Amino acid sequence: MRESAAERHDRLLELVRGRGSARVSELAAQLGVSPVTVRRDVEFLANEGRLDRVHGSVSWPGAGEAAHPQAPARLPSQGPGARELVIGMLAPNATYYFAEVIRGAHEAAAAAGARLILRISDYRPQEDAGRAAGLLAAGAEGLLIAPGWKEPDDPVEHGAWIAGLPVPTVLLERRGVPGRELDDLDRVCSDHSHGVLLAVRHLLGLGHSTPLLVARADSPTAIAVRAGYRYALDSLGLKPPLPVIGSVSAEADPAGFERAVQALRTAVLAGQATAALVHNDVDAIRIVQRLAELGVRVPENLALVAYDDEVAALADIPLTAVAPPKHEVGRYAAELLIERLRGTPTAGSGGPEEAPRRHVDLLPRLRVRASCGAPSDTLGSPVSVRS
């Protein structure tokens, strides 16, 4: 059977991990593939933070830190000669949204003198357990887990294995079902209900009627935004102007995407909506472009807020956006896991016994730009913690 790219990546990582560093030509010979293939693999793995790449050679992350005066100092708890702590991270992707979560976790680990190793699930929840097992086999002593869930039932169907992991585990940007096993784990999440509430309040404050929601339903964030919309309207005593418009990827389902745009256009032209919240940034940018082609302009005819703030500021008309604290989610989760592993609870988290499990919610911000017709600003209190 032909070796998959993921399997080749695992072999490449094992070779580099065993040696500390290696040249691309040596790796090509060991793997039995061309140097071009290895360079492509190395570039992919380096972009994910799983390897360091320097002038034709690659090294295990952190292997060359001693030669660099900019390397983060180890925490006092490590001490001279202490064994390096290794933590593993499973994320559904390493690009949109989760790139910043990974970066935050990596920086926190480096600052604590620990090493972070990463595996990507590509939103295939049925493969999460195997990926986590790979992290443990690679030496991870604790795990940061963001399962590749997509459907509402995935936490039940593809989540029970997490509770049985033999090492300390922190969920990030994922919540277990209340009353079930995963609800007893540490977790660090963005409070998406608060983020939606910020957007709705802002649009109401500009004099708009209750905003319409245009959202996907293919990820935990999308599902949380939909739930947050219901929560926000209930909290403010409002009723939705129309049912939620289901959005889909323009690449995967062009006809479905066009139906969503046409439904939003119809609502605007009928006077049923003067404002909308759109999840996610990419969909929001494409919706604005398509609406303009159909004669509906943002913000003149429709005030629009995007949700995620990954690329919203780069649109032709910079989009006001809810920005979940992605970097801080990764940082808080890594710090919490390292605390568990080292048995050194922070002040106020407990006495000599193990600190209580924690559910930490970090509050998003609203970054105001041109798409809602208001002066640019950033709204929302500094990132806060709810436990």
Side-chain angles (χ1 to χ4, degrees):
M1 182 180 293
R2 183 178 180 181
E3 182 181 46
S4 69
E7 291 170 334
R8 188 175 65 249
H9 291 168
D10 285 344
R11 285 208 297 140
L12 190 157
L13 288 168
E14 283 302 313
L15 286 172
V16 177
R17 182 169 180 262
R19 298 182 180 189
S21 65
R23 297 190 62 81
V24 168
S25 57
E26 296 170 344
L27 292 171
Q30 288 287 322
L31 294 170
V33 298
S34 70
V36 172
T37 297
V38 172
R39 278 193 290 271
R40 186 166 56 242
D41 289 346
V42 165
E43 181 178 4
F44 174 81
L45 293 168
N47 288 338
E48 289 192 341
R50 301 161 78 182
L51 289 177
D52 291 336
R53 176 183 53 183
V54 182
H55 303 306
S57 297
V58 292
S59 61
W60 196 252
E65 285 179 359
H68 298 283
Q70 300 298 322
R74 293 179 180 267
L75 292 185
S77 58
Q78 279 287 86
R83 179 178 59 83
E84 182 181 52
L85 188 65
V86 179
I87 62 176
M89 183 174 186
L90 177 66
N93 68 61
T95 53
Y96 189 91
Y97 197 99
F98 273 93
E100 195 62 26
V101 178
I102 293 167
R103 189 173 296 113
H106 181 258
E107 290 177 4
R115 181 161 61 89
L116 179 75
I117 56 178
L118 175 70
R119 290 207 172 194
I120 306 299
S121 72
D122 294 320
Y123 285 99
R124 293 195 290 265
Q126 66 275 14
E127 298 181 10
D128 282 346
R131 301 286 187 190
L135 287 168
L136 295 176
E141 300 162 77
L143 295 175
L144 302 171
I145 301 287
W149 299 336
K150 296 180 291 185
E151 304 295 334
D153 293 337
D154 280 349
V156 174
E157 294 182 9
H158 301 290
W161 64 272
I162 300 173
L165 286 167
V167 297
T169 301
V170 178
L171 286 175
L172 68 168
E173 290 293 35
R174 301 291 186 262
R175 301 172 188 269
V177 177
R180 297 183 70 98
E181 303 93 335
L182 299 190
D183 204 32
D184 294 331
L185 292 179
D186 288 315
R187 72 173 184 237
V188 181
C189 299
S190 298
D191 187 341
H192 296 303
S193 288
H194 183 80
V196 174
L197 185 60
L198 284 176
V200 172
R201 281 177 171 165
H202 179 66
L203 291 167
L204 294 174
L206 294 175
H208 292 284
S209 57
T210 304
L212 183 59
L213 177 64
V214 182
R216 292 195 185 190
D218 59 356
S219 73
T221 300
I223 294 167
V225 167
R226 285 171 170 256
Y229 181 68
R230 294 191 297 270
Y231 166 79
L233 297 195
D234 288 345
S235 298
L236 299 171
L238 302 172
K239 293 184 178 180
L242 290 169
V244 173
I245 295 175
S247 177
V248 293
S249 165
E251 291 92 352
D253 187 355
F257 178 79
E258 181 65 16
R259 284 194 297 271
V261 174
Q262 292 290 347
L264 181 56
R265 174 180 179 268
T266 298
V268 173
L269 296 181
Q272 295 171 304
T274 63
L277 171 65
V278 179
H279 176 270
N280 55 41
D281 283 12
V282 174
D283 289 357
I285 290 174
R286 287 183 167 146
I287 285 172
V288 170
Q289 293 170 344
R290 181 64 181 129
L291 285 175
E293 293 170 356
L294 297 170
V296 175
R297 299 180 59 81
V298 172
E300 291 85 353
N301 307 122
L302 178 72
L304 187 143
V305 176
Y307 200 101
D308 277 351
D309 202 33
E310 284 286 299
V311 292
L314 304 180
D316 291 349
I317 302 168
L319 304 181
T320 295
V322 177
K326 299 177 281 283
H327 187 277
E328 289 80 4
V329 165
R331 178 170 64 85
Y332 271 73
E335 290 173 347
L336 177 54
L337 180 59
I338 291 168
E339 176 188 314
R340 295 290 185 206
L341 290 167
R342 290 187 175 159
T344 53
T346 56
S349 62
E353 299 182 358
E354 184 181 44
R357 294 283 179 253
R358 273 171 274 172
H359 292 173
V360 181
D361 286 342
L362 304 183
L363 305 185
R365 293 176 182 265
L366 181 70
R367 296 195 172 119
V368 179
R369 303 186 182 102
S371 66
C372 58
S376 297
D377 200 356
T378 299
L379 303 180
S381 56
V383 173
S384 302
V385 179
R386 295 178 178 177
S387 301

